[in-house]
Amino acid sequence: IRVQFEAADLVGESVMEAAVDDLEITASTGGAIPGGGFPARFFAPYVDTLLYPAFPLAQTAGQINQKYFTLAFITDGGVCEAKWGGIIGVSGNHMISDVNQLRTMGGDIIVSFGGANGSELAVNCQTVASLQGQYQAVIDKYILTSVDFDVEGSAVLNQTANTRRNQAIASLQTFARSQNRELKVSFTLAVLPTGLDQSGVSLLQNAAASGVEISTVNIMAMDYGPIANPNTMGQNAIDATNATIAQLLAVYPNKTLSQRQAMLGITPMIGLNDVFPEVFTIPDANLVFNFARANNIGRLSMWSMTRDKQCPVNPQVSPVCSGIVQQTFDFTNIFKHLQ
């Protein structure tokens, strides 16, 4: 805690002496407490922060020992203004109390910028400095050591925004290093069983050329469409992972296979996917987990924690249930053992 005092002499050029004998802090303003960071390999499922009631991070950590989460999504809520889902302002301490409790239990969070919906900050902020300022405000508010950039849809095709985003991220990391802090960066990108499309590869090449240190390339192993077999979603995810690892040679020609494997994150959409009839099952989860553990994959995730339970009535694609027969937290209880 840093406390600054200023003493002003209102008399003129008189001699003044000021002293503080004792200091007692009796209350705080509710800001975030620092987290403990993340292990080398971990599972950090996405949490939709706009759902009500808010998903209980600390309660879940105490219940099933899952301590790492990715909070989604920060988008633009005005003219270059970072907000949760473009609605809830960062100044409102959204979920901070729960984040603090989670961190006292040894857990931590990643905050994800972007996503499929809303306005992407890098598209709407017109300068690198303004964009960096919005990112930094979120990092400072939640005392983050890891951030995620989910770039999809039309945003991934916007070369101007991609360059602006990457330059801002590089500056964020430079600033963090100047403060003796860590800031790990992941990019979450759409994928097919054949790997990233060229727009995703180009984004990563731009990031590397801009000086961004990428810790994780997180692939969205979901919603492939007619190009993939909807009944082999686990194997589809494995194929997509292997293809992406091979593609990373074009970005990092000096990295070994093991290093590129450690850079990979895999994020399936559990249960029923948005694209019918794709379904990611419990056996698919076991297949992906065993592959990830055997092949040094650095991160597992999923969309999303609130979906990791059975729907109370008819199977459906829902933000609050998986649409398949399962026990609550079945998927989490598989993936959480990665570390």
Side-chain angles (χ1 to χ4, degrees), residues 55-66 105 328-329 333 336:
F55 182 82
L57 306 176
Q59 177 182 319
T60 303
Q63 181 180 352
I64 60 171
N65 197 33
Q66 171 54 37
M105 301 168 70
T328 300
F329 297 135
N333 285 326
K336 72 181 182 182

Side-chain angles (χ1 to χ4, degrees), residues 17-59:
E17 181 178 334
V20 177
D21 293 327
D22 296 290
L23 173 65
E24 179 182 1
I25 297 176
T26 58
S28 71
T29 58
I33 64 173
F38 301 87
R41 306 171 72 192
F42 61 95
F43 169 57
Y46 282 86
V47 172
D48 187 342
T49 61
L50 291 189
L51 293 179
Y52 182 83
F55 182 82
L57 306 176
Q59 177 182 319

Side-chain angles (χ1 to χ4, degrees), residues 46 73-75 112-117 120-123 131 135 147-166 169 185-191 196-197 199-204 207 216-220:
Y46 282 86
F73 290 101
I74 293 282
T75 58
S112 184
F113 296 85
N117 300 314
E120 213 267 346
L121 278 167
V123 174
L131 179 60
Y135 290 153
V147 288
D148 175 58
F149 296 89
D150 185 314
V151 189
E152 52 184 296
S154 61
V156 76
L157 301 174
N158 190 323
Q159 297 300 319
T160 301
N162 290 343
T163 298
R164 185 159 49 230
R165 184 190 308 105
N166 288 331
I169 295 171
V185 169
S186 61
F187 282 97
T188 295
L189 302 170
V191 74
L196 303 169
D197 64 20
S199 62
V201 175
S202 295
L203 184 147
L204 297 177
T216 303
V217 176
N218 179 40
I219 59 171
M220 292 183 282

Side-chain angles (χ1 to χ4, degrees), residues 4-121:
Q4 177 175 306
F5 297 92
E6 287 191 8
D9 184 3
L10 301 179
V11 178
E13 297 183 358
S14 62
V15 176
M16 178 187 67
E17 181 178 334
V20 177
D21 293 327
D22 296 290
L23 173 65
E24 179 182 1
I25 297 176
T26 58
S28 71
T29 58
I33 64 173
F38 301 87
R41 306 171 72 192
F42 61 95
F43 169 57
Y46 282 86
V47 172
D48 187 342
T49 61
L50 291 189
L51 293 179
Y52 182 83
F55 182 82
L57 306 176
Q59 177 182 319
T60 303
Q63 181 180 352
I64 60 171
N65 197 33
Q66 171 54 37
K67 297 181 179 180
Y68 306 107
F69 301 94
T70 304
L71 304 190
F73 290 101
I74 293 282
T75 58
D76 183 37
V79 182
C80 188
E81 182 181 6
K83 290 186 175 182
W84 291 105
I87 298 171
I88 302 173
V90 175
S91 61
N93 293 330
H94 185 51
M95 296 185 72
I96 275 188
S97 177
D98 201 16
V99 169
N100 286 344
Q101 187 176 355
L102 174 71
R103 284 172 167 168
T104 65
M105 301 168 70
D108 211 340
I109 63 164
I110 302 167
V111 167
S112 184
F113 296 85
N117 300 314
S119 299
E120 213 267 346
L121 278 167

